[in-house]
Amino acid sequence: MNVCALVLALVLAVCAARSPYQAVLQHSRIRGRQQGPNVCAMQQIIGSDKKYFTNCKQWYHRKICGKPTMTTYECCPGYERIPGEKGCPAALPLMNIYNTLGGVGATTTQLYSDRAKLRDEIEGPGSFTFFAPSDKAWAALPTEILDALVSNVNIELLNALHYHMVNRRLTSEELRHGSSFASMYQGFHVHIHHYSNGVVTVNCGRLIKPDQHATNGIVHVVDRVITAISNNVQTLIDVEDDLETLRTAIAAAGLTTMLENEGQYTIFAPTNEAFEKIPPETLNRILADPVALRDLLNYHILKQMQCAESIVSGTPMETLQGTTLEVGCDGDQMTLNGKAIITKKDQLGTNGVVHYINELLIPDSAKTLLELAEGSSVATATRLFVEAGLSPHLTGSEALTMLAPLDDAFRGSLTMTPDMKKLMANHILKEQMSSKSLYHGQELETVGGLKLRVFVYRNNLCIENACIAAHDKTGRFGSMFTVDSVLTPPMGTIMDVLKADDRFSLLVGAIQTAGMTELLNQQGALTFFAPTNDAFNALPKAELNKLMRNRQELTDVLRYHLGEGLLVSGGLGSHTRLKCLQGDKLELGLRNYTVYVNKVPVAATDLMATNGVVHAVHSIIKPLRESQQADGPAAPLRSASSSRSSGRVRVPHVFLPAATGSDLLKRFNSKHIISVHIRKKPVWPFKTNRFLIPSSMHDTSRHW
């Protein structure tokens, strides 16, 4: 089967499927089609006997719960092989439920049905659904439980088997997500979940062989022995000694009633040990703050019920707190945010499921600013904030926003000095903000007393020279913006910046000679690509002297280095144009973390000023020729005769291949072409990867 046909078949199959399970079954049928009729391809985890009908994503990844899989081929449900024939061409003969159990890997259930005097019932008339534990499910029961079931005059065993039965026929299509059905044991309900990945569970046991039809009903083989459920999740927590601290916290947060009412909750329940791992001051602060406590607990509760067997890969799931947890698996272990911290799974209640965890999950919304920083990749900034004596701001209840530079943003000595203390204070803004509410030209006040400007660019959002490098973290009272640079707050005008830096002493003299001092001192927003002393000294002495004596020419050169608008390095894209005061445009680019202006590398960026920004260059910037506008200089196209003289060849007709001709014309001086013919094929009868001008046009053939 070709790829297009396979893709079309998969799309049609998924569209025609009536349930997620039917969708993955159809996918498995198509994958197994080459093995013969009614063959299903399954993914089996290597080293185990666990098999799955899978979707396209799992098929191509060849992994389930992070473990590699191999493909096995089996008869699809309801079919069997015939010796000597390909595939599974024969439909299984219909038998009653008792006999069907023996043919689908549930012989132990069949045996116990005999022992419990259930055989007559499941052989006789009726229409039943039997969730039959597999042989391995019975073997996995603790010995004391199994002994208690089979030794109590068979009544307990009969009750257990009746709880696996529903007095009506239910196909997998009718086992809808969140549904429940009265069992044949005192009306206790069995709880069904039918997940989007095709996994179907009953009381959190996975159906491993669904839809095994019988004359008097249907059998679904399940991977565990299920037990009757009568308690809600709050009751489960109330009776568990290991959840005492959680029980107290739930009561203090006023969540008890919610967990007693109807719902479909998943609770990741921290044990007493999990609470003990938290520093006492942090735990006491959260327990004493009703808002933080409620956020903490809601962060442990999912909006939907998620049994362990439903997880085949990491999936983000929304919590009642509003953010997400990544619920995944690693082999047989269930994971949270990539950590195997779940110690007990699938404690099922009438309104949800409880999984025990040995680590408390603290959401950002319950953290102080200092705790936000300590949990991020800003360790250097965190240390400096503390050393600068700013901890009271970061651990209190003030509404603040912290600008936290990444670790690699720091350069040079990090000794705590008065200037460093002042700098770190200027990384804390006086209000709690969201980066989504910032706008261009906005001014933000710091606890150090400075006003910082906001610059909004097409590809970035910057506060002075520091651009936001990650999503906001919003804590209990404050927010944290992770930024890519340490702030360099403006301390004067562009002229002040230049005068304070010895690298620009010759430039300062040139500005004064050109009469541009007032321009660089007045209010505005300019970007100055400022030539250093090295740039002036690189000019031939005669050329430099001539430039310095010609005020108009000097003014034009300096104005060519001044761009309209304030552009910090973080606002640059791969190709940016900036209009300069001289009238032309500067071509800016960013390659390998280096900023270029008209092909000249920028030696130092983002020297901030109150009326602009200064970027240092070690060369005088000159206008680019048209052929240099692209990333690299383009070699001019020349014929042999033009290479020997300054004259130009007049080519009356040019034939060019369609694939490359149009691109070549852009580089050829069109004034010298009378007519152009774009051909689908070259006019010459031989293969070549070079263009030829026929020799009749000039004295020597020339390759382009």
Side-chain angles (χ1 to χ4, degrees):
M1 181 186 295
N2 62 43
V3 175
C4 292
L6 178 59
V7 171
L8 179 59
L10 288 172
V11 171
L12 292 175
V14 171
C15 292
R18 293 165 294 185
S19 70
Y21 166 72
Q22 290 294 331
V24 295
L25 179 62
Q26 290 281 56
H27 176 266
S28 296
R29 277 180 175 274
I30 292 169
R31 293 292 182 186
R33 186 175 294 175
Q34 291 183 345
Q35 306 299 316
N38 304 314
V39 174
C40 284
M42 302 188 74
Q43 294 294 302
Q44 180 176 349
I45 299 176
I46 295 174
S48 83
D49 59 353
K50 295 184 76 171
K51 299 177 183 179
Y52 294 81
F53 297 116
T54 56
N55 57 29
C56 285
K57 181 179 178 181
Q58 293 155 356
W59 180 270
Y60 285 112
H61 285 181
R62 293 291 198 274
K63 283 188 177 182
I64 290 175
C65 285
K67 303 302 180 183
T69 62
M70 61 182 180
T71 303
T72 62
Y73 297 95
E74 298 183 1
C75 291
C76 297
Y79 295 91
E80 65 179 349
R81 298 185 183 275
I82 295 178
E85 294 195 27
K86 187 176 182 181
C88 304
L92 282 170
L94 282 182
M95 300 177 288
N96 59 49
I97 288 179
Y98 178 82
N99 290 324
T100 300
L101 291 173
V104 294
T107 54
T108 305
T109 301
Q110 188 183 48
L111 173 66
Y112 287 156
S113 297
D114 261 330
R115 187 174 296 182
K117 310 300 187 210
L118 183 64
R119 177 171 179 172
D120 289 345
E121 188 174 355
I122 58 177
E123 278 186 333
S127 183
F128 308 110
T129 297
F130 203 150
F131 296 102
S134 67
D135 295 342
K136 290 192 175 182
W138 287 106
L141 276 181
T143 304
E144 61 274 14
I145 294 178
L146 187 58
D147 288 345
L149 281 176
V150 300
S151 64
N152 191 10
V153 198
N154 298 329
I155 188 64
E156 292 297 338
L157 183 58
L158 179 63
N159 291 341
L161 292 173
H162 267 152
Y163 184 65
H164 288 75
M165 295 176 63
V166 175
N167 196 13
R168 56 181 282 201
R169 184 192 300 263
L170 295 168
T171 65
S172 62
E173 183 185 352
E174 296 168 288
L175 299 178
R176 294 185 175 87
H177 191 68
S179 60
S180 65
F181 302 94
S183 74
M184 294 176 64
Y185 170 59
Q186 298 182 6
F188 283 105
H189 279 63
V190 292
H191 300 267
I192 305 298
H193 289 87
H194 194 143
Y195 297 95
S196 60
N197 59 7
V199 172
V200 184
T201 64
V202 53
N203 287 22
C204 286
R206 181 169 69 95
L207 273 59
I208 55 177
K209 289 185 179 180
D211 293 338
Q212 306 296 321
H213 290 270
T215 56
N216 57 345
I218 193 167
V219 174
H220 304 291
V221 181
V222 63
D223 69 352
R224 71 181 63 177
V225 178
I226 62 176
T227 55
I229 300 165
S230 58
N231 295 323
N232 58 52
V233 291
Q234 180 61 47
T235 303
L236 295 179
I237 294 170
D238 286 341
V239 300
E240 177 58 69
D241 291 340
D242 204 22
L243 301 179
E244 182 181 358
T245 308
L246 175 63
R247 182 164 60 249
T248 303
I250 288 173
L255 296 178
T256 302
T257 302
M258 180 188 78
L259 298 181
E260 289 174 340
N261 292 336
E262 289 186 6
Q264 291 285 311
Y265 303 114
T266 299
I267 302 174
F268 295 105
T271 61
N272 297 338
E273 177 193 359
F275 281 98
E276 290 167 2
K277 292 178 181 178
I278 302 301
E281 60 275 11
T282 299
L283 184 58
N284 292 335
R285 175 185 62 78
I286 293 174
L287 293 176
D289 182 346
V291 175
L293 179 58
R294 197 175 184 90
D295 275 357
L296 172 77
L297 295 175
N298 281 336
Y299 188 56
H300 290 75
I301 305 174
L302 300 182
K303 286 186 173 181
Q304 69 276 356
M305 184 167 152
Q306 210 71 43
C307 296
E309 282 297 325
S310 70
I311 308 297
V312 295
S313 62
T315 306
M317 298 183 183
E318 189 174 0
T319 67
L320 293 185
Q321 183 259 349
T323 55
T324 60
L325 290 173
E326 184 180 272
V327 183
C329 51
D330 182 10
D332 290 332
Q333 291 186 308
M334 194 174 178
T335 61
L336 274 182
N337 292 340
K339 295 181 179 179
I341 60 174
I342 296 175
T343 57
K344 189 187 289 187
K345 301 180 289 188
D346 293 342
Q347 304 304 298
L348 198 61
T350 56
N351 59 346
V353 65
V354 179
H355 307 292
Y356 291 23
I357 58 175
N358 62 10
E359 185 175 306
L360 190 66
L361 307 172
I362 303 179
D364 288 347
S365 60
K367 292 180 180 178
T368 64
L369 274 175
L370 187 59
E371 289 165 350
L372 287 178
E374 289 172 342
S376 305
S377 55
V378 290
T380 303
T382 304
R383 175 173 63 80
L384 292 175
F385 280 125
V386 173
E387 290 179 1
L390 296 169
S391 293
H393 289 293
L394 305 183
T395 57
S397 58
E398 292 178 87
L400 301 170
T401 299
M402 176 171 60
L403 307 180
L406 293 166
D407 289 341
D408 59 6
F410 290 92
R411 298 286 187 275
S413 173
L414 298 179
T415 304
M416 188 50 60
T417 63
D419 285 343
M420 178 66 80
K421 288 183 178 181
K422 187 174 181 181
L423 176 64
M424 297 311 296
N426 285 323
H427 280 75
I428 302 177
L429 307 176
K430 281 191 172 181
E431 299 178 36
Q432 183 177 12
M433 299 176 179
S434 164
S435 62
K436 294 180 180 179
S437 67
L438 300 182
Y439 57 88
H440 192 74
Q442 184 177 5
E443 288 192 337
L444 311 174
E445 188 176 357
T446 72
V447 297
L450 279 186
K451 294 286 184 68
L452 304 178
R453 299 161 295 181
V454 176
F455 306 116
V456 179
Y457 301 105
R458 185 176 296 277
N459 64 328
N460 229 332
L461 174 64
C462 305
I463 299 171
E464 294 297 338
N465 61 299
C467 299
I468 293 177
H471 293 296
D472 302 0
K473 286 184 174 291
T474 304
R476 176 66 179 94
F477 299 105
S479 299
M480 186 180 84
F481 297 168
T482 303
V483 294
D484 62 1
S485 302
V486 178
L487 280 172
T488 55
M491 297 301 177
T493 65
I494 290 177
M495 201 64 195
D496 294 331
V497 171
L498 297 176
K499 286 181 177 179
D501 195 325
D502 292 340
R503 292 176 295 176
F504 302 114
S505 57
L506 294 179
L507 175 60
V508 170
I511 291 170
Q512 292 169 341
T513 300
M516 295 175 61
T517 303
E518 183 179 352
L519 172 66
L520 300 183
N521 273 325
Q522 67 187 20
Q523 288 186 350
L526 298 172
T527 300
F528 197 179
F529 293 95
T532 61
N533 294 344
D534 290 342
F536 285 101
N537 291 331
L539 293 174
K541 195 165 186 64
E543 185 178 338
L544 177 60
N545 291 336
K546 178 184 175 184
L547 177 64
M548 299 302 289
R549 287 195 299 267
N550 188 331
R551 180 171 177 172
Q552 185 57 49
E553 184 179 350
L554 179 60
T555 300
D556 287 345
V557 169
L558 294 177
R559 288 174 70 86
Y560 188 71
H561 288 69
L562 278 164
E564 295 180 359
L566 197 157
L567 182 62
V568 299
S569 60
L572 284 173
S574 58
H575 187 86
T576 305
R577 285 187 172 180
L578 183 66
K579 186 177 180 182
C580 59
L581 298 188
Q582 183 261 357
D584 289 340
K585 288 186 177 180
L586 296 170
E587 302 286 337
L588 282 73
L590 186 65
R591 296 196 302 276
N592 298 326
Y593 305 102
T594 300
V595 176
Y596 289 83
V597 52
N598 284 19
K599 307 294 183 181
V600 174
V602 175
T605 60
D606 300 333
L607 308 177
M608 304 305 293
T610 56
N611 59 344
V613 62
V614 174
H615 305 296
V617 291
H618 288 328
S619 300
I620 300 296
I621 300 171
K622 298 178 181 179
L624 294 175
R625 297 189 302 275
E626 186 176 350
S627 62
Q628 293 177 299
Q629 298 298 312
D631 285 343
L637 302 176
R638 298 182 298 169
S639 67
S641 59
S642 64
S643 67
R644 293 193 296 269
S645 67
S646 60
R648 303 195 181 196
V649 177
R650 185 173 177 82
V651 183
H653 301 280
V654 177
F655 292 84
L656 301 175
T660 52
S662 299
D663 180 66
L664 184 60
L665 283 174
K666 295 175 184 176
R667 301 171 60 185
F668 198 88
N669 194 329
S670 59
K671 293 187 293 184
H672 306 293
I673 300 177
I674 296 174
S675 64
V676 176
H677 305 273
I678 302 295
R679 297 290 297 259
K680 292 184 178 178
K681 295 183 179 179
V683 295
W684 40 86
F686 50 87
K687 294 182 179 180
T688 178
N689 60 359
R690 296 175 291 182
F691 297 105
L692 301 170
I693 299 180
S695 59
S696 59
M697 292 186 181
H698 47 76
D699 56 348
T700 306
S701 292
R702 176 71 174 174
H703 293 288
W704 291 359

